[in-house]
Amino acid sequence: MNAADRERYSRQILFPGIGEPGQEALLRAHVAVVGAGALGSFHAAALARAGVGSLTIVDRDYVEPGNLHRQWLFEESDAAEALPKAVAAERRLARINSQVRVRGMVADLTASNLEDLLGGADLILDGTDNFDARYLINDFAVSRGIPWIYGAAVGSYGLTMPVIPGQTACLRCVYPEPPSGGQPTCETAGVLNAIVSAVASLQVAAALRILCGQSAEVHSRITTLDVWTGAIRQIGAPRDPECPCCARRQFPYLEESRRGPITLCGRNAVQIAERERPIDLLQLKARLEPLGEVRANEFALRFLTPPYEMTIFADGRAIVKGTSDPGIARSLYARYVG
Ligand SMILES: [Zn+2]
């Protein structure tokens, strides 16, 4: 560490949990942030300011005006240009801390690109908005022994859980399967920026502690918080000795055949059929009604969000018209179905 670093990070170095050895470790560290939306853009900015040496930012979306109230890194000009979030993040982070190496990757995380995108990371931060990505990250992180920090926020409520392979519970110890049915999302239920920064801050603090070599002090537990009511709870999350992932080391989400939206040839449409997840279409219709034209019966739901049209079936399968890009289709699915 040179004199300029010592000055720049002085207040952080003074904190006993970090000190000079901790700061040295941060400067050497490489963190991957998956999803540069509300949580992820906060993670990236906080880690860049803290002096984490290398950041990989993975995101498949573009900045839109509706993101700006909660996505800390982005500005009106990014939305006006419809810049990819990974690109806008890279530009902004270079202005926040020019010493940090930032790799902005415009990509949809899949089993086939996980290695390229996350392989070199010392730690992974979850800034995603969907369970498909989290199960993928969990299998990858546990298989490689890379710590990752789960986080989620919607409405005024959020939760976080650190996963340190071999030490704490993993996502599948706690939730063996992704939840079935549609989930409330920021698009359908709204979200406060205060819950986003609260959850993201807890994730970042856990990340700093792990990167500074204090993994042993990080507890296996879920923290839930509601910034509207002020309720905060911590729930112990014991490891499942029979966990298929961290105990039996089965990693089905890493098998490429499991995933894979199909581009429907010549139809400018993508079919999503990644998993069976029965959905109550009438409930989903009620959630989507304020957002666009929607029609549903018990078999199928059609939702217009121009220029796209989504048809969602009761078994969770969907066809997204108006794109042949699986990343866009998956993004729309995560936003509106959950
Ligand atoms: Zn487990």
Side-chain angles (χ1 to χ4, degrees):
M1 200 181 336
N2 57 35
D5 285 341
R6 225 169 249 119
E7 167 58 22
R8 177 166 193 149
Y9 304 112
S10 57
R11 307 307 189 274
Q12 190 165 273
I13 292 169
L14 272 173
F15 176 71
I18 304 250
E20 231 180 89
Q23 190 61 50
E24 297 271 14
L26 296 180
L27 291 166
R28 284 193 305 271
H30 176 188
V31 174
V33 176
V34 184
L39 295 171
S41 66
F42 186 100
H43 300 149
L47 294 177
R49 287 182 193 278
V52 168
S54 288
L55 293 173
T56 296
I57 316 284
V58 183
D59 195 280
R60 62 190 178 189
D61 280 327
Y62 297 81
V63 184
E64 296 171 274
N67 301 149
L68 296 177
H69 94 284
R70 67 188 185 286
Q71 302 195 7
W72 306 94
L73 274 181
F74 309 128
E75 301 169 2
E76 290 175 359
S77 59
D78 300 322
E81 287 180 63
L83 275 185
K85 291 181 184 175
V87 172
E90 194 179 298
R91 287 186 189 174
R92 182 75 196 282
L93 292 167
R95 295 201 295 274
I96 290 174
N97 189 342
S98 57
Q99 307 295 310
V100 175
R101 288 177 299 280
V102 181
R103 188 170 70 126
M105 305 297 292
V106 183
D108 183 33
L109 194 72
T110 64
S112 52
N113 63 17
L114 268 172
E115 176 63 46
D116 281 349
L117 296 172
L118 308 183
D122 300 310
L123 183 140
I124 301 166
L125 274 167
D126 170 24
T128 69
D129 59 358
N130 67 90
F131 278 97
D132 287 329
R134 294 189 184 111
Y135 280 78
L136 201 54
I137 293 170
N138 189 68
D139 269 10
F140 181 75
V142 171
S143 75
R144 293 300 185 81
I146 303 171
W148 75 281
I149 321 285
Y150 165 44
V154 66
S156 61
Y157 174 83
L159 74 167
T160 176
M161 179 179 88
V163 176
I164 303 173
Q167 179 186 323
T168 71
C170 82
L171 186 66
R172 284 165 65 198
C173 288
V174 181
Y175 309 111
E177 295 288 335
S180 66
Q183 298 294 313
T185 71
C186 296
E187 267 66 23
T188 59
V191 63
L192 296 181
N193 63 17
I195 186 62
V196 168
S197 55
V199 169
S201 282
L202 292 175
Q203 289 179 278
V204 166
L208 295 178
R209 200 158 194 201
I210 293 167
L211 293 171
C212 288
Q214 296 165 38
S215 301
E217 312 301 323
V218 174
H219 298 289
S220 188
R221 67 187 174 198
I222 301 170
T223 302
T224 70
L225 54 169
D226 186 321
V227 292
W228 202 248
T229 63
I232 299 176
R233 285 211 307 158
Q234 291 193 312
I235 307 154
R239 281 188 79 182
D240 176 359
E242 301 295 318
C243 174
C245 181
C246 68
R248 296 198 201 132
R249 302 193 66 76
Q250 295 160 359
F251 306 115
Y253 294 88
L254 302 184
E255 289 163 22
E256 286 175 47
S257 57
R258 186 184 173 97
R259 293 179 55 92
I262 306 156
T263 301
L264 301 173
C265 249
R267 284 180 55 192
N268 194 31
V270 176
Q271 175 176 266
I272 294 178
E274 286 153 35
R275 56 187 161 102
E276 296 274 310
R277 47 175 300 177
I279 285 178
D280 183 331
L281 295 174
L282 298 178
Q283 253 180 31
L284 182 62
K285 175 172 183 266
R287 284 208 299 269
L288 294 176
E289 254 159 358
L291 305 172
E293 191 186 326
V294 55
R295 275 178 295 158
N297 55 34
E298 61 193 293
F299 309 107
L301 175 151
R302 183 160 297 169
F303 173 56
L304 291 175
T305 176
Y308 310 108
E309 179 187 306
M310 302 179 71
T311 304
I312 298 146
F313 300 92
D315 64 357
R317 191 167 59 85
I319 291 175
V320 181
K321 282 191 199 160
T323 181
S324 54
D325 180 339
I328 292 175
R330 223 161 20 207
S331 168
L332 290 165
Y333 191 94
R335 278 197 226 177
Y336 294 112
V337 184

